[in-house]
Amino acid sequence: MIRRTFLKLATATAMSALAAPYVHAQDKKFAGVTLRVGGWGGLYDETIKKYVAAPLEERTGLKVEMTAGTQSADLVKMVANRENPPYDIYQADSAYMVEALKADFIREIKESDVPNIKRILPGFREYDEYGVPYSVFTYIPVFNSEQLEKPITTYTDLARPDLEGKITLPAATFDTNCLYLLGMAEENGGSISNMEPAFKLLEKAKDNIVALGQSTVAMIQMFENGEVAAGVMSDARGYEMRAKGLPIVSVMPPQGIYGATSYMNIPKNAKNPEAALAFLEQMLSDEGMLGLPRSMRLGVTTDVKLPEDIAKDMTFNSLERLALKKNVDWEKWMADRSSRIERINKILRG
Amino acid sequence: MNPPLERNRKFTAALLLAPMVLLLLGFLVVPVAGVLRSSFLDGDYLLEGTGFTVGHYLRFFSDSYYSSILWETFVDGVIVSLICLVVGFPTGYSLARLPPLARRWRTIIVILPLTLSLVVIVFGWLIILGRNGLLNSVLFNLGIISSPKTLLFTRPAVILVLVQQFLPFMILSVLSVVTQIDPVLEQAASNLRANRLVTFRRVIIPLATPGILVGCNLVFVLSISAFITPRLIGGNRVPMLGSLIYERIMSEFNWPSGAAMAFILFVAGLGFTAAFNALAASRLVMGGRLHAR
Amino acid sequence: MSSNHGNGLHGERDYVVELQSVSRHYGESIAVADVSLGMARGELVCLLGPSGCGKTTTLRMVAGFVKPTSGTVRINNQDMTHQPPYRRDTGMVFQSYALFPHMTVAENIAFGLENLKWNRVDREKRVREMLRLVELPHLAERLPTQLSGGQQQRIALARALAMRPAVLLLDEPFSNLDAQLRVRMREELREVIRGVDVTTLFVTHDQEEALTMSDRIVVMNTGRIEQIGTPGDIYESPESTFVAKFIGWCSVVEGAVDATGTFVSKSALKVPGNWQPGPANAIVRPEHVHLAADGPQGLVREARVLESHYYGGATRVVLDVGGEQLMMHERFPFGRHPKPGEPLNITLNTDEIRVVSSSSQTFTDLKRVAI
């Protein structure tokens, strides 16, 4: 309770410091308005600034301010400041959408508000009128082709005895990254409500695991340092390592690929809802949509036409591939997170 | 005595203490009380629960997983303290026996690592201990190992990095107490036919005990509450309670449960150090009074 | 000349402690230069000198805390130069006493005995014995911090003596005591030392301490030995102006010894005798100067009072005697103290006045070069 008050106070102070003076006498629609977007840092934010924020500012005079944070910390900030949210746009992946809906601080966004919503591919908008999906990650096995004699082809392969002391998996607290477990379950007759096969396999894979990655950066470093030869990573990071010259192969498990979608949301009490809607419209435009594929080869959510040279490096570059994308019952996945984290911790404990 | 003056002095003392007391009250006592309260909340999401339950505590103690991690955390804390003591004592001692000027800049060197961000330190160790890292290549080139070994993500690696981080606290504690020990006492011991080992055991160690205790307490408390090092260097393979609490609060948003675990660690740590100090103090008094009765 | 100077240089006599041409340098500076000294069994020898004269360094070289740059330290006829302190048969009382604060009095005294592997029964017996010796048996279980300065000193002495060391070393043992206690402790200490008949080397800058306690005094200056002798020798027959000035009050009258062996000062003060011809100083002590009325037989001289200091029992008067400044200690009747400017008639007891060559300081230098 104290914390909440403190956060409110801190945010209010920051707000008043940040509030830009109103600049009038400009024709542009959002001149003098500053849109605050919660970002995820690094190249990801740079890309959104370049392909979404910059063209928008050019056209409308809207200033965009992206603040790098983590989903979990941002969620706490949003919950603690319902009346006065720190961001006009709050980003969440499929998993955190469940949390954001549970916390009930985001508003519905209709096609009438953001016309480009009609271009979103079927099945990509998982939460009815909430959240605008704009990018797709997958979490797939990857391996270093120079260090493994026998390639990995499935999630189950990660438990192969010949991989002893050679793999890294994402830490249990990364909900979307941990979809590899769902892959292991479904490849072995389990399901989201019967994860036992996955946990049995994890038990088997225990000695294979050198470490759990606390961040994607840490995991990339493990590959770079030869600490591990295989693991589970997002397709974007696989591409990143290949681009750096590492012989990393991204595996497309034939029984299905698990991924998550990134969403942009507008908080109920957002200061600049109009500008936020304009931002989303730009995000879903061809120009905005192609940014992340260009820079990180991340998947798209609309019917935008992908240039060939980019498409070849992307996971979802064909209908066959798209058919591999499995739907996830996110609500169930998130309801089980505490017990899942504890179970993984217990299994991996010596 | 002069009563008004006396009152005045008390007032001045209160005034001088006030900022410290207010600071501690506002930023330590109140938040800790808040943590204590939230650990009894009947809920598992942020602070949205209500009522009063001991469920979070029960869950901790009924699951051997948690109690064994608490135990291991303490064992790690003791090991780190002991290694720091063995390594830090000679350093602190020799620093204390240097002339003040030479001591000053060497002390700065000892403190220097504390000014580095923990993240920088941890990444430095990742580079040293990595499979392609410094240590592996040295061992390989010396022919001690035939292929690179996984050194990271092991308990010894976590302990090593914790020792490196907290060693300055031990050195400084020993340094401060040894500078209080008159070197002439060592000469006296030597004159009384005590060789260096006997002098060390019977004169230096007993007199340095306060500093040793402070150092051990500091290192122990810092070690059991560490969470970044076990997470990054241990790669989740070396669970320590600190990182578990971090996960529960920052990733699972289960603040009541995290608060309960934090409080258990707090009380257990306090109890352990109190018992240790009482024991050490009684040993010290006994040692001093061996022939007394 | 310093007749004892070369004593036992080659170990032909049975000395308990023997320093043979011991020097200690600290870089460029020389703390102790070519000190040779032999101590006979049971002897109480005092190293006396101003601070920085090398006396403490010499003591510490005997104890083994300081290694000589050159020379040999022998204890009980064994070369100990390179032995650590704990292998040397010495017992030391430190200036600050250095009692172990975490041990009781009894434990402090037993500490050395434990290291000497005495058994428990003997140890306890010896501790009781030592506490009786220093007359503090009731303090056995006290901690050092609960003792007064004088008690601490006695315990430090008991601790050092408990081991029956070949030589007892005392480093300025009274400097931490107040003036009255100092005199009492001095007498007590001397009694205890005489009682156990231990060879003792002690360091002081206090001439009174040296004169009252020692069998022999070693006067040191700038790292060198100025003179070795009994308290009487040192006081009555100083061999250098330095020794004379350092021990007791004196006036130094500059002059020269003529061919007949008589000292003549610049203002024609004569000290007859058979002195070595050459430039010389006459050492006139206050007790050589008397009021003409009550002095011994001698030439009456006229003097004028320059300064007058009342000390209770006596008055110290600085006189101008024919152009020389001389000092006199005299008891004047109450109300009759001399005032500056007043004339006085005095006699000089020239028989007792000592004349030293004013180049005598170079004697030791010459000797050092010769060796």
Side-chain angles (χ1 to χ4, degrees), chain A residues 162-183:
Chain A
D162 65 299
L163 294 178
E164 190 180 332
K166 284 186 178 160
I167 74 169
T168 176
L169 295 174
T173 46
F174 296 117
D175 304 295
T176 47
N177 302 50
C178 281
L179 286 171
Y180 72 88
L181 278 171
L182 190 52

Side-chain angles (χ1 to χ4, degrees), chain C residues 104-355:
Chain C
T104 63
V105 164
E107 286 165 349
N108 263 286
I109 298 173
F111 186 81
L113 305 177
E114 285 173 52
N115 295 324
L116 287 170
K117 308 279 183 261
W118 283 37
N119 70 44
R120 191 193 170 87
V121 177
D122 291 348
R123 234 161 45 209
E124 286 175 359
K125 189 165 157 257
R126 182 70 175 160
V127 168
R128 280 197 299 274
E129 213 173 285
M130 295 318 294
L131 283 170
R132 265 203 309 279
L133 181 72
V134 297
E135 295 173 346
L136 295 173
H138 55 294
L139 298 183
E141 301 311 329
R142 296 276 181 87
L143 288 171
T145 47
Q146 299 168 308
L147 306 181
S148 70
Q151 289 170 332
Q152 286 189 31
Q153 197 209 36
R154 283 194 272 175
I155 298 305
L157 178 67
R159 183 176 72 173
L161 288 176
M163 301 178 294
R164 301 191 214 279
V167 57
L168 177 67
L169 305 174
L170 306 167
D171 184 8
E172 303 257 9
F174 308 108
S175 62
N176 283 340
L177 302 175
D178 61 57
Q180 282 198 334
L181 192 58
R182 198 176 297 182
V183 175
R184 219 183 74 211
M185 288 306 294
R186 199 154 74 199
E187 283 155 14
E188 276 187 26
L189 186 69
R190 190 179 161 86
E191 222 162 278
V192 169
I193 291 171
R194 290 295 173 212
V196 295
D197 194 25
V198 62
T199 311
T200 304
L201 181 62
F202 90 101
V203 158
T204 186
H205 63 272
D206 183 329
Q207 38 149 324
E208 198 179 312
E209 238 165 74
L211 290 171
T212 54
M213 289 192 65
S214 340
D215 295 328
R216 277 198 298 160
I217 295 174
V218 178
V219 183
M220 292 184 74
N221 186 29
T222 60
R224 295 196 172 79
I225 293 179
E226 286 279 340
Q227 186 173 356
I228 301 181
T230 64
D233 289 343
I234 299 283
Y235 189 81
E236 305 294 344
S237 314
E239 284 169 6
S240 66
T241 313
F242 173 82
V243 173
K245 282 169 96 171
F246 193 75
I247 310 253
W249 296 101
C250 74
S251 310
V252 177
V253 178
E254 291 177 18
V257 176
D258 63 17
T260 66
T262 299
F263 171 86
V264 183
S265 84
K266 285 167 184 160
S267 47
L269 179 87
K270 284 190 176 140
V271 181
N274 193 19
W275 310 112
Q276 186 88 26
N281 291 333
I283 309 299
V284 185
R285 297 222 182 258
E287 57 267 33
H288 301 151
V289 185
H290 303 277
L291 278 176
D294 60 6
Q297 300 293 53
L299 203 60
V300 174
R301 293 160 199 262
E302 286 185 1
R304 201 163 52 82
V305 176
L306 294 174
E307 292 170 38
S308 166
H309 304 276
Y310 178 58
Y311 278 84
T315 302
R316 180 155 62 84
V317 184
V318 181
L319 300 164
D320 180 341
V321 183
E324 301 294 348
Q325 284 192 14
L326 300 180
M327 220 187 291
M328 173 173 74
H329 280 181
E330 199 71 49
R331 166 105 194 136
F332 290 92
F334 180 69
R336 304 251 304 267
H337 304 295
K339 290 180 182 62
E342 219 172 278
L344 273 181
N345 282 346
I346 56 133
T347 58
L348 268 184
N349 207 357
T350 47
D351 294 356
E352 290 177 357
I353 294 176
R354 177 87 186 161
V355 172

Side-chain angles (χ1 to χ4, degrees), chain C residues 1-2 5 34 224-226 239-240 276-277 279 356-371:
Chain C
M1 281 311 87
S2 46
H5 223 94
D34 191 33
R224 295 196 172 79
I225 293 179
E226 286 279 340
E239 284 169 6
S240 66
Q276 186 88 26
V356 298
S357 166
S358 58
S359 57
S360 67
Q361 236 144 341
T362 57
F363 267 74
T364 39
D365 288 334
L366 287 171
K367 194 164 163 283
R368 201 169 72 89
V369 172
I371 293 168

